[in-house]
mmCIF file of all heavy atoms in Angstrom:
data_model
loop_
_atom_site.group_PDB
_atom_site.id
_atom_site.type_symbol
_atom_site.label_atom_id
_atom_site.label_comp_id
_atom_site.label_asym_id
_atom_site.label_seq_id
_atom_site.Cartn_x
_atom_site.Cartn_y
_atom_site.Cartn_z
ATOM 1 N N ASP C 59 2.929 3.689 27.611
ATOM 2 C CA ASP C 59 4.038 3.938 28.538
ATOM 3 C C ASP C 59 4.223 2.902 29.651
ATOM 4 O O ASP C 59 3.674 3.017 30.738
ATOM 5 C CB ASP C 59 3.852 5.320 29.183
ATOM 6 C CG ASP C 59 5.103 5.734 29.969
ATOM 7 O OD1 ASP C 59 6.198 5.252 29.625
ATOM 8 O OD2 ASP C 59 4.959 6.510 30.924
ATOM 9 N N GLY C 60 5.001 1.863 29.352
ATOM 10 C CA GLY C 60 5.349 0.863 30.356
ATOM 11 C C GLY C 60 4.399 -0.309 30.455
ATOM 12 O O GLY C 60 4.696 -1.296 31.137
ATOM 13 N N ARG C 61 3.246 -0.240 29.784
ATOM 14 C CA ARG C 61 2.274 -1.338 29.871
ATOM 15 C C ARG C 61 2.590 -2.461 28.898
ATOM 16 O O ARG C 61 2.141 -3.594 29.085
ATOM 17 C CB ARG C 61 0.855 -0.814 29.582
ATOM 18 C CG ARG C 61 0.218 -0.079 30.711
ATOM 19 C CD ARG C 61 -0.273 -1.049 31.811
ATOM 20 N NE ARG C 61 -1.508 -1.730 31.415
ATOM 21 C CZ ARG C 61 -1.650 -3.032 31.260
ATOM 22 N NH1 ARG C 61 -0.626 -3.837 31.439
ATOM 23 N NH2 ARG C 61 -2.835 -3.559 30.943
ATOM 24 N N ILE C 62 3.350 -2.184 27.856
ATOM 25 C CA ILE C 62 3.651 -3.213 26.868
ATOM 26 C C ILE C 62 4.793 -4.081 27.400
ATOM 27 O O ILE C 62 5.877 -3.580 27.727
ATOM 28 C CB ILE C 62 4.052 -2.568 25.519
ATOM 29 C CG1 ILE C 62 2.867 -1.752 24.964
ATOM 30 C CG2 ILE C 62 4.480 -3.622 24.514
ATOM 31 C CD1 ILE C 62 3.215 -0.918 23.767
ATOM 32 N N SER C 63 4.542 -5.389 27.477
ATOM 33 C CA SER C 63 5.548 -6.290 28.053
ATOM 34 C C SER C 63 6.556 -6.752 27.012
ATOM 35 O O SER C 63 7.714 -7.035 27.337
ATOM 36 C CB SER C 63 4.878 -7.496 28.692
ATOM 37 O OG SER C 63 4.099 -8.202 27.729
ATOM 38 N N ALA C 64 6.129 -6.842 25.761
ATOM 39 C CA ALA C 64 7.026 -7.295 24.690
ATOM 40 C C ALA C 64 6.335 -6.974 23.365
ATOM 41 O O ALA C 64 5.156 -6.615 23.315
ATOM 42 C CB ALA C 64 7.293 -8.793 24.792
ATOM 43 N N GLY C 65 7.086 -7.123 22.282
ATOM 44 C CA GLY C 65 6.461 -6.870 20.986
ATOM 45 C C GLY C 65 7.459 -6.837 19.854
ATOM 46 O O GLY C 65 8.669 -6.966 20.045
ATOM 47 N N ILE C 66 6.931 -6.639 18.658
ATOM 48 C CA ILE C 66 7.754 -6.669 17.462
ATOM 49 C C ILE C 66 7.164 -5.752 16.406
ATOM 50 O O ILE C 66 5.950 -5.619 16.286
ATOM 51 C CB ILE C 66 7.850 -8.117 16.917
ATOM 52 C CG1 ILE C 66 8.885 -8.217 15.770
ATOM 53 C CG2 ILE C 66 6.492 -8.660 16.488
ATOM 54 C CD1 ILE C 66 9.207 -9.640 15.374
ATOM 55 N N VAL C 67 8.038 -5.085 15.670
ATOM 56 C CA VAL C 67 7.661 -4.279 14.506
ATOM 57 C C VAL C 67 8.271 -4.943 13.271
ATOM 58 O O VAL C 67 9.481 -5.208 13.241
ATOM 59 C CB VAL C 67 8.198 -2.834 14.640
ATOM 60 C CG1 VAL C 67 7.977 -2.050 13.337
ATOM 61 C CG2 VAL C 67 7.550 -2.128 15.806
ATOM 62 N N ILE C 68 7.432 -5.225 12.286
ATOM 63 C CA ILE C 68 7.900 -5.845 11.044
ATOM 64 C C ILE C 68 7.546 -4.902 9.898
ATOM 65 O O ILE C 68 6.373 -4.725 9.560
ATOM 66 C CB ILE C 68 7.257 -7.230 10.805
ATOM 67 C CG1 ILE C 68 7.439 -8.123 12.027
ATOM 68 C CG2 ILE C 68 7.875 -7.879 9.574
ATOM 69 C CD1 ILE C 68 6.687 -9.453 11.935
ATOM 70 N N THR C 69 8.563 -4.270 9.310
ATOM 71 C CA THR C 69 8.319 -3.279 8.281
ATOM 72 C C THR C 69 9.273 -3.467 7.104
ATOM 73 O O THR C 69 10.161 -4.310 7.144
ATOM 74 C CB THR C 69 8.400 -1.850 8.871
ATOM 75 O OG1 THR C 69 7.843 -0.915 7.951
ATOM 76 C CG2 THR C 69 9.842 -1.466 9.194
ATOM 77 N N LYS C 70 9.077 -2.675 6.089
ATOM 78 C CA LYS C 70 9.882 -2.763 4.853
ATOM 79 C C LYS C 70 11.283 -2.207 5.111
ATOM 80 O O LYS C 70 11.486 -1.336 5.954
ATOM 81 C CB LYS C 70 9.185 -1.967 3.752
ATOM 82 C CG LYS C 70 9.855 -1.997 2.398
ATOM 83 C CD LYS C 70 9.031 -1.228 1.375
ATOM 84 C CE LYS C 70 9.732 -1.200 0.017
ATOM 85 N NZ LYS C 70 8.923 -0.511 -1.008
ATOM 86 N N TYR C 71 12.242 -2.723 4.368
ATOM 87 C CA TYR C 71 13.614 -2.207 4.458
ATOM 88 C C TYR C 71 13.600 -0.682 4.286
ATOM 89 O O TYR C 71 12.976 -0.144 3.380
ATOM 90 C CB TYR C 71 14.497 -2.841 3.392
ATOM 91 C CG TYR C 71 14.744 -4.325 3.593
ATOM 92 C CD1 TYR C 71 14.252 -5.250 2.678
ATOM 93 C CD2 TYR C 71 15.441 -4.777 4.698
ATOM 94 C CE1 TYR C 71 14.462 -6.615 2.865
ATOM 95 C CE2 TYR C 71 15.654 -6.133 4.897
ATOM 96 C CZ TYR C 71 15.174 -7.041 3.971
ATOM 97 O OH TYR C 71 15.366 -8.381 4.157
ATOM 98 N N GLY C 72 14.301 0.004 5.197
ATOM 99 C CA GLY C 72 14.405 1.446 5.126
ATOM 100 C C GLY C 72 13.263 2.203 5.780
ATOM 101 O O GLY C 72 13.262 3.440 5.790
#
Side-chain angles (χ1 to χ4, degrees):
D59 190 26
R61 282 284 283 118
I62 298 171
S63 59
I66 188 169
V67 172
I68 308 173
T69 194
K70 182 177 178 177
Y71 293 115

